Amino acid sequence: MHYNTACKSMYFNTACKNMYYNDACKNMYYNTAQKKRKDKITRSLKKDKKEKKNKKENKEEVPTTPYFPFFKDDYCPTDCACYGRVVQCSDKGVDKVPFGIPYNARYILLMNNLIDSIQLDLLSEYLSMEFLVLSNNRLMDSSVEGSFEGVQKLKRLYLERNLLQSIPTDMPASLEELRLDGNNISVMSEAAWGRCPGLLILSLNNNSLGNGSDSLSAGVLSPLGTLRTLSLNHNQLLAVPSQLPLSLRELYLRGNLIQSFHGDVFMGESELLILDLSANRLSNKGLGKDALLNANRLESLNLEGNLLRQVPRHLPQSLKTLNLEGNTIASVGKAAFKRLPNLEHLGLARNKIVRVAFGAFRSLPVLHQLDLSHNALRQVPRQLPTSLHFVSITHNKIRSVPQDALCPGGASAPLSQLVRVQLEHNLIDMGKLNTRAFWCLRGFQVVHFD
């Protein structure tokens, strides 16, 4: 019994020891496994943190590109609307050129904003830009200096209604049209135009050129050898600039202080077709014999609102349209228009014409339109051209219509080409009207009385 008890005790002791070791091993295993798992998680967290840090550092140190997505073909700034290669950023109240306009843009419209400067070297990046509008902004001479340097394909540049006082000197050589209306430009130099010799249209209306005391220097526009249209309306010029490009076809000088037009305006045969000298101070003396000597292709001449007392002499025979309205012409002599065989439109309204010589208009074989309204005529001029389609003699003092006024050819003459004769606001007594004066008309409805 004692032996059995001892054996049992030994068994239990051994079993307990084995159990203890088994539990200890198990605990050690679990502790080791838990520590490994914890270390793995810690390493993973550290790795993720390190990767995030490296990613952030790499992003800061190596940017993808400072332009993306800006300036890309399919990007459009938030202040603009884009239609293909046309970028419309007008009327947005921006004070700078919006950032990121696509580099492939051909037309960029920025009018009616508050732009007061152009980022240097910005415009030269636009290799496809042909048309740029910066009208009605706040650009000054200093804010555009160097802005157009290196621009390669720009053809049309609009800078109207800004604060410019001089012509920008870095115009692109590709430029064909430049509009600078409504600034305060008072001077220009020949050097400014040497950069853009291919210019076709130049508009400088509503500026301060001349300052009312001086004119532009001779030959200042001579580098523009291909210029077609020059518009200098509403400045303060006392004389027409001399030595203008012979290539000019249209010249507009309305609303200046011009007193004379001399023969040195064109130093050679010019291509001029249209000349507007209206609303100036030209007298017959200021429009001398050689004034238009080199303008023998001229077709349209506007002398409205000047100080002319007589119909000017020595006008080009090529004239088709002549406007002499709003002067102080008192009479029209028989030979006044003898040298104008191609004249089609003649305006003599708002003068002080009392007398028209017999057959004064008869020498105009292709005259279609004649305006004699607002004068002091007492009768319809006699022997009007048979080519006339329209005659206006309203607001005169007409009392009679001579029989050979509208129908000068007699009973054997064909029907008149007149379609409208205006005789409103005169002193005609319909009861005493000679009806034979209208026999050649296609209908009595052609004539309009009160």
Side-chain angles (χ1 to χ4, degrees):
M1 184 174 180
H2 178 74
Y3 175 78
N4 290 337
T5 302
C7 287
K8 189 180 286 186
S9 297
M10 186 181 293
Y11 169 78
F12 279 115
N13 288 336
T14 303
C16 287
K17 186 180 284 187
N18 291 335
M19 186 181 295
Y20 170 77
Y21 282 120
N22 289 336
D23 289 341
C25 288
K26 187 181 289 184
N27 288 335
M28 184 180 294
Y29 170 79
Y30 283 123
N31 288 337
T32 302
Q34 189 174 2
K35 186 178 180 182
K36 287 182 178 179
R37 191 182 301 112
K38 187 176 180 181
D39 290 343
K40 186 176 181 180
I41 293 172
T42 301
R43 286 195 303 271
S44 179
L45 289 173
K46 286 182 178 180
K47 184 178 180 181
D48 290 345
K49 188 175 181 180
K50 187 175 181 180
E51 286 178 353
K52 287 181 179 179
K53 184 178 180 181
N54 290 337
K55 189 175 182 180
K56 185 177 181 181
E57 288 177 354
N58 290 336
K59 187 176 181 180
E60 292 176 355
E61 292 175 3
V62 187
T64 54
T65 170
Y67 301 128
F68 183 81
F70 309 112
F71 305 102
K72 297 297 181 181
D73 294 356
D74 57 350
Y75 177 76
C76 189
T78 55
D79 290 321
C80 306
C82 301
Y83 311 95
R85 298 174 72 179
V86 178
V87 182
Q88 170 63 273
C89 309
S90 304
D91 302 283
K92 301 299 181 180
V94 297
D95 59 359
K96 296 288 185 294
V97 177
F99 185 76
I101 294 176
Y103 280 144
N104 73 333
R106 292 181 62 189
Y107 307 104
I108 301 178
L109 313 178
L110 294 160
M111 71 278 277
N112 305 328
N113 282 296
L114 305 172
I115 298 173
D116 56 9
S117 64
I118 302 174
Q119 300 91 312
L120 197 62
D121 298 328
L122 174 64
L123 298 180
S124 61
E125 298 290 337
Y126 292 91
L127 302 181
S128 301
M129 181 175 60
E130 297 179 6
F131 186 21
L132 175 61
V133 182
L134 285 161
S135 307
N136 198 24
N137 279 283
R138 298 180 178 179
L139 294 169
M140 303 175 68
D141 293 349
S142 57
S143 58
V144 299
E145 185 178 356
S147 298
F148 306 106
E149 189 77 39
V151 179
Q152 296 182 13
K153 292 188 177 180
L154 187 63
K155 293 182 179 180
R156 301 164 65 192
L157 175 59
Y158 290 9
L159 288 167
E160 307 116 302
R161 300 184 302 282
N162 277 281
L163 304 174
L164 301 174
Q165 295 183 342
S166 62
I167 309 295
T169 57
D170 58 345
M171 293 288 98
S174 57
L175 204 61
E176 295 180 356
E177 180 180 358
L178 176 61
R179 297 192 178 273
L180 292 162
D181 308 329
N183 283 278
N184 193 31
I185 297 171
S186 58
V187 295
M188 67 169 72
S189 65
E190 188 174 341
W193 306 120
R195 300 290 298 272
C196 49
L199 199 64
L200 300 176
I201 300 173
L202 174 58
S203 186
L204 284 158
N205 300 324
N206 298 97
N207 277 284
S208 302
L209 292 170
N211 286 324
S213 60
D214 196 6
S215 185
L216 301 179
S217 59
V220 66
L221 294 169
S222 58
L224 303 177
T226 61
L227 192 65
R228 293 288 183 265
T229 302
L230 175 60
S231 189
L232 299 171
N233 294 329
H234 302 289
N235 279 276
Q236 300 174 38
L237 297 171
L238 292 178
V240 180
S242 60
Q243 300 178 32
L244 292 177
L246 299 178
S247 59
L248 268 181
R249 295 181 181 176
E250 300 179 24
L251 176 57
Y252 301 95
L253 291 159
R254 179 180 177 84
N256 279 276
L257 306 172
I258 296 171
Q259 300 177 14
S260 60
F261 190 108
H262 298 297
D264 61 353
V265 171
F266 296 107
M267 302 298 289
E269 186 175 340
S270 76
E271 299 180 21
L272 195 66
L273 299 174
I274 300 174
L275 174 59
D276 187 352
L277 286 164
S278 59
N280 278 285
R281 299 179 180 179
L282 278 169
S283 63
N284 288 91
K285 184 179 179 179
L287 198 62
K289 181 179 180 179
D290 63 343
L292 298 170
L293 184 64
N294 290 319
N296 52 19
R297 299 184 185 181
L298 191 65
E299 295 183 357
S300 177
L301 176 59
N302 189 353
L303 293 169
E304 177 188 2
N306 278 280
L307 305 175
L308 300 173
R309 294 187 177 185
Q310 300 174 342
V311 175
R313 302 171 62 188
H314 311 294
L315 298 178
Q317 294 186 6
S318 56
L319 275 182
K320 294 182 178 181
T321 300
L322 176 60
N323 187 351
L324 295 170
E325 299 178 2
N327 283 278
T328 57
I329 299 171
S331 64
V332 179
K334 189 172 183 177
F337 304 105
K338 191 174 182 180
R339 299 180 180 180
L340 300 176
N342 298 300
L343 198 63
E344 298 177 359
H345 305 276
L346 175 59
L348 286 163
R350 299 191 311 280
N351 275 281
K352 298 181 179 181
I353 300 174
V354 177
R355 185 184 69 86
V356 175
F358 178 85
F361 303 110
R362 189 70 172 172
S363 60
L364 302 173
V366 294
L367 189 67
H368 294 160
Q369 183 172 334
L370 174 62
D371 192 349
L372 285 162
S373 58
H374 295 276
N375 279 286
L377 292 171
R378 295 183 179 275
Q379 69 172 22
V380 175
R382 299 176 65 184
Q383 296 284 317
L384 292 176
T386 56
S387 58
L388 275 174
H389 294 168
F390 172 84
V391 178
S392 178
I393 320 179
T394 64
H395 296 90
N396 277 269
K397 299 179 181 180
I398 293 175
R399 294 180 179 273
S400 65
V401 183
Q403 188 170 334
D404 63 347
L406 303 175
C407 304
S412 61
L415 289 177
S416 171
Q417 297 186 52
L418 281 166
V419 295
R420 189 175 183 88
V421 179
Q422 292 185 305
L423 290 169
E424 298 96 333
H425 303 287
N426 279 288
L427 304 175
I428 297 174
D429 185 346
M430 297 297 291
K432 297 180 180 180
L433 195 63
N434 183 0
T435 57
R436 293 182 179 179
F438 308 100
W439 72 267
C440 67
L441 301 183
R442 297 177 183 274
F444 199 69
Q445 67 275 12
V446 170
V447 185
H448 296 260
F449 298 98
D450 292 334

